[in-house]
Amino acid sequence: MREGDTLCVWKLDRLGRSTKDVLTIAEDLRARGIALRILTGTLAGNYSPKGEGKFFFTVIVAFAELERDMIVERTRAGLDAAKAQGRTGGRPSVITEDVLTGAEARKAKGESITAIAKALGVSRATLYRHIR
């Protein structure tokens, strides 16, 4: 960006990952003569790093970082609770125990992984991942 340009961000916390990052980036933009426009949120509008505006900006950035950290913590706790209950996320495996047993028997008879994978309609990588 060049002097006189305006950087637009959807929300203040999209500007950086931490309070320090956001403040450093905002100060760098100001020093280079680049305006900062925040489109949504508490500080929607043009940012002016003077007096009370700078203090309020710092406080809002700190709250945004705290909110992000809390979301990460809650997500982790939810995933751990689901795991403790025996639930796992992600896509279900295409290899069931029956399919795996059949594939291992075919491999024991000398059939190639490529031929087995083609017959089962799965990738070779999937078979290699499951066959012991």
Side-chain angles (χ1 to χ4, degrees), residues 25-69:
I25 291 168
E27 182 57 32
D28 180 57
L29 291 172
R30 187 202 58 76
R32 293 172 42 201
I34 298 169
L36 175 60
R37 181 165 176 77
I38 303 158
L39 301 177
T40 61
T42 308
L43 288 178
N46 292 327
Y47 167 63
S48 175
K50 295 182 180 100
E52 293 172 355
K54 187 171 186 177
F55 171 74
F56 192 58
F57 182 81
T58 304
V59 170
I60 295 299
V61 171
F63 277 121
E65 183 179 3
L66 175 65
E67 179 184 15
R68 184 178 172 282
D69 289 344

Side-chain angles (χ1 to χ4, degrees), residues 7 17 24 47 53 59-60 69-70 73-74 94 101 122-123:
L7 174 64
R17 296 187 61 77
T24 302
Y47 167 63
V59 170
I60 295 299
D69 289 344
M70 288 171 41
E73 187 177 312
R74 282 189 225 117
V94 296
T101 303
V122 298
S123 72

Side-chain angles (χ1 to χ4, degrees), residues 47-121:
Y47 167 63
S48 175
K50 295 182 180 100
E52 293 172 355
K54 187 171 186 177
F55 171 74
F56 192 58
F57 182 81
T58 304
V59 170
I60 295 299
V61 171
F63 277 121
E65 183 179 3
L66 175 65
E67 179 184 15
R68 184 178 172 282
D69 289 344
M70 288 171 41
I71 289 170
V72 168
E73 187 177 312
R74 282 189 225 117
T75 300
R76 175 58 38 212
L79 289 172
D80 291 344
K83 190 175 185 178
Q85 295 173 358
R87 297 191 327 244
T88 58
R91 186 175 178 169
S93 179
V94 296
I95 303 290
T96 63
E97 278 301 317
D98 292 338
V99 171
L100 181 59
T101 303
E104 287 173 339
R106 291 171 85 163
K107 174 112 173 67
K109 289 181 184 174
E111 196 171 344
S112 73
I113 291 288
T114 303
I116 299 168
K118 193 171 193 174
L120 296 176

